[in-house]
Amino acid sequence: VSIPFDDRGLLLGDGLFETVLGVDGRLVWLDAHLERLEKGCATLGLPAPDRAAATRLMGEALAGVQAPRAAVRLTLTCGSGGRGLDRPVAPAPRLFATAAPSARPEAPARLVTAAVRRNETSPASRLKTLSYLDNVLAREAAREAGADEALMLNTRGEAACAAAANIFWVDRGRLVTPAIACGALPGIMRAAVVAAARGLGLEVIEAHAPPQALAGSEGVFLTNSLIGVRPVAWLDGRDLPQSPMVERLASALD
Amino acid sequence: VSIPFDDRGLLLGDGLFETVLGVDGRLVWLDAHLERLEKGCATLGLPAPDRAAATRLMGEALAGVQAPRAAVRLTLTCGSGGRGLDRPVAPAPRLFATAAPSARPEAPARLVTAAVRRNETSPASRLKTLSYLDNVLAREAAREAGADEALMLNTRGEAACAAAANIFWVDRGRLVTPAIACGALPGIMRAAVVAAARGLGLEVIEAHAPPQALAGSEGVFLTNSLIGVRPVAWLDGRDLPQSPMVERLASALD
């Protein structure tokens, strides 16, 4: 239950994680999470973990939680290395899982636009990495401003995501979400929402859009594996309209 | 000698480090390093470590190295926290030190410009944080291209720094280095070089400059606490001139 001082995940943020929803002892969307983790390993040049070992670790962590809903976090570090930035020739990743109760938020989210931008020039902007300090800072600034999540723009000023969620909005009956190239995580719930919306016959657009698109939309919502679909009540102090489409999508996914 | 699974430095890269040169049992520029760490803690909203405790940890780590020159790394994590991005109300940082032999590189550096940009919109771009994955990726790409360090531009395309060093160049007899606002670390050796240059009567400019300024300069060099002043031999496959000023500054600092 601990990590040595020479681990590159600890020293340099060199590694990845997944956060999986556990419901009544079951790991939701498990295959999609493991697949994304494997793709992330390929991007970072790390060996992918053994699926059976990862599943076992998560199952053990989940079994220790006395709650119907849990957040199960699988963490993969690059493993031990020598001094400095250079990776060892053959990295030997470490894998561990932790879990905690995770209640679904009851209230809609309140967003504040973060000063720190999402660095879409980095592959890390499309991965859940152990280098998450920008997200921590964005979230913290949002909370200090009386909100509970941050809207993150990328360095070109386009809407990218929230600090720990993907973002969607409704524009003239169409569903819009930032393109992955904006610096957005290819969220498991993001993909599920896109599929559900198309299943309902809705048009879905992956866009490079300014933040004004959200302020002027028919409704904004967040998605991630833990919260599912969560409406956004206000952005930077201004109330946002509530679109019936958000409720419709949430119901389609339940 | 290990860190628990719930440490936010490990899970989110929420923390800072310093790399201090140890020579013959002495920690070089120790006060400047501790001062920078304290400023970083203030920026991130973390309690600063006790100076005596930090110095003792580094001294113990240095004492274990059987080499005249050592790299002593002091790592401060945000400490344990609950699930997710939100920090605990009163973070209790962890502090530890490690050390390894560190020979001065003999050869000049070869640089390749990194595709991943330095995110100057983030306070983290001016700190040595545990979220260093972008630097790891930049270094790795440089090595794959046959170089040994990366030139990092910021998101506006201005020269910012190397993956693990500040960068300087000589322009018509003046010394130029990217402004901190470009996303450069306020390096201890960077400050020492600026002071030494001014002591020698040289003009020093902190600039927002395109990378072409380096390619067209009279000489380029890197600085950090471990390497001191290191000339750059080539950039993106093109030989760079060697300025006598680099040798002069290196001598002034020895």
Side-chain angles (χ1 to χ4, degrees):
Chain A
V1 298
S2 69
I3 286 286
F5 282 170
D6 67 354
D7 186 275
R8 293 173 55 89
L10 169 62
L11 298 175
L12 297 164
D14 191 359
L16 295 164
F17 71 100
E18 289 289 330
T19 308
V20 181
L21 175 64
V23 177
D24 299 328
R26 190 172 51 89
L27 296 160
V28 180
W29 299 106
L30 175 61
D31 287 348
H33 283 286
L34 291 173
E35 196 178 306
R36 182 171 66 183
L37 181 61
E38 287 163 5
K39 282 187 186 166
C41 285
T43 301
L44 294 187
L46 298 175
D50 179 68
R51 281 204 177 200
T55 304
R56 182 177 52 75
L57 285 169
M58 285 189 282
E60 288 168 4
L62 177 58
V65 177
Q66 306 300 320
R69 285 177 104 262
V72 182
R73 179 177 153 136
L74 180 68
T75 301
L76 178 139
T77 79
C78 175
S80 292
R83 210 207 66 72
L85 296 182
D86 297 336
R87 287 223 183 103
V89 177
R94 281 194 177 87
L95 195 66
F96 64 92
T98 49
S102 176
R104 210 161 178 161
E106 301 270 332
R110 294 162 313 205
L111 299 191
V112 165
T113 304
V116 50
R117 298 290 179 97
R118 188 90 173 161
N119 183 7
E120 79 283 1
T121 71
S122 172
S125 70
R126 297 176 284 280
L127 301 172
K128 285 175 90 80
T129 80
L130 303 186
S131 286
Y132 243 41
L133 185 56
D134 281 351
N135 300 54
V136 170
L137 296 175
R139 171 69 69 81
E140 189 162 67
R143 288 178 66 94
E144 280 167 10
D148 47 18
E149 243 298 26
L151 168 65
M152 297 187 77
L153 312 181
N154 66 19
T155 70
R156 293 179 295 200
E158 299 160 345
C161 55
N166 286 109
I167 196 158
F168 285 81
W169 61 93
V170 183
D171 174 27
R172 286 163 286 175
R174 299 169 310 180
L175 198 57
V176 190
T177 193
I180 299 300
C182 292
L185 185 76
I188 307 297
M189 190 54 61
R190 176 184 184 274
V193 165
V194 168
R198 289 185 173 143
L200 293 170
L202 297 169
E203 187 181 353
V204 182
I205 300 168
E206 299 187 78
H208 291 258
Q212 293 78 7
L214 282 75
S217 75
E218 290 143 40
V220 179
F221 63 95
L222 305 177
T223 64
N224 72 29
S225 292
L226 298 181
I227 61 176
V229 168
R230 186 183 186 195
V232 176
W234 59 257
L235 170 60
D236 294 327
R238 289 179 54 180
D239 285 335
L240 294 172
Q242 298 303 306
S243 166
M245 196 191 287
V246 181
E247 193 55 49
R248 232 178 116 201
L249 284 166
S251 303
L253 284 159
D254 264 348
Chain B
V1 296
S2 69
I3 287 285
F5 282 169
D6 67 354
D7 186 275
R8 292 173 55 87
L10 169 63
L11 297 177
L12 297 165
D14 191 0
L16 295 163
F17 70 100
E18 290 288 331
T19 308
V20 181
L21 175 65
V23 177
D24 299 328
R26 190 172 52 88
L27 295 161
V28 181
W29 298 107
L30 176 61
D31 287 349
H33 283 285
L34 291 173
E35 197 178 304
R36 182 172 65 184
L37 182 62
E38 287 163 6
K39 282 187 186 166
C41 285
T43 301
L44 294 187
L46 298 176
D50 179 68
R51 280 204 178 202
T55 303
R56 181 176 52 76
L57 285 170
M58 285 189 282
E60 288 168 3
L62 177 57
V65 177
Q66 307 300 321
R69 287 179 100 262
V72 182
R73 179 176 153 137
L74 180 68
T75 301
L76 179 138
T77 79
C78 175
S80 292
R83 211 208 65 73
L85 296 182
D86 296 338
R87 287 223 184 102
V89 176
R94 283 195 175 85
L95 195 65
F96 65 92
T98 50
S102 176
R104 210 162 177 160
E106 301 270 332
R110 295 161 314 207
L111 300 191
V112 164
T113 304
V116 50
R117 299 290 179 96
R118 188 91 173 160
N119 182 8
E120 80 281 1
T121 71
S122 172
S125 70
R126 299 176 282 281
L127 302 172
K128 285 174 90 77
T129 79
L130 304 187
S131 287
Y132 243 39
L133 184 55
D134 281 351
N135 300 54
V136 170
L137 296 175
R139 171 68 70 81
E140 188 162 69
R143 289 179 66 94
E144 279 168 10
D148 47 17
E149 245 294 31
L151 168 65
M152 296 187 78
L153 313 181
N154 66 19
T155 70
R156 293 180 296 201
E158 300 160 344
C161 55
N166 286 109
I167 195 157
F168 286 81
W169 61 95
V170 183
D171 174 27
R172 285 163 286 175
R174 301 170 310 181
L175 198 58
V176 190
T177 192
I180 299 300
C182 292
L185 186 77
I188 308 299
M189 191 53 62
R190 176 184 184 274
V193 165
V194 168
R198 289 184 172 143
L200 292 170
L202 298 170
E203 187 182 352
V204 183
I205 300 169
E206 299 187 79
H208 291 257
Q212 292 79 7
L214 283 75
S217 76
E218 290 143 39
V220 179
F221 62 96
L222 305 178
T223 65
N224 71 30
S225 293
L226 298 182
I227 63 176
V229 168
R230 186 184 186 194
V232 176
W234 60 255
L235 170 61
D236 295 327
R238 289 178 53 178
D239 286 334
L240 294 172
Q242 297 303 306
S243 165
M245 196 192 286
V246 181
E247 192 55 48
R248 231 176 118 203
L249 284 166
S251 303
L253 284 159
D254 264 347

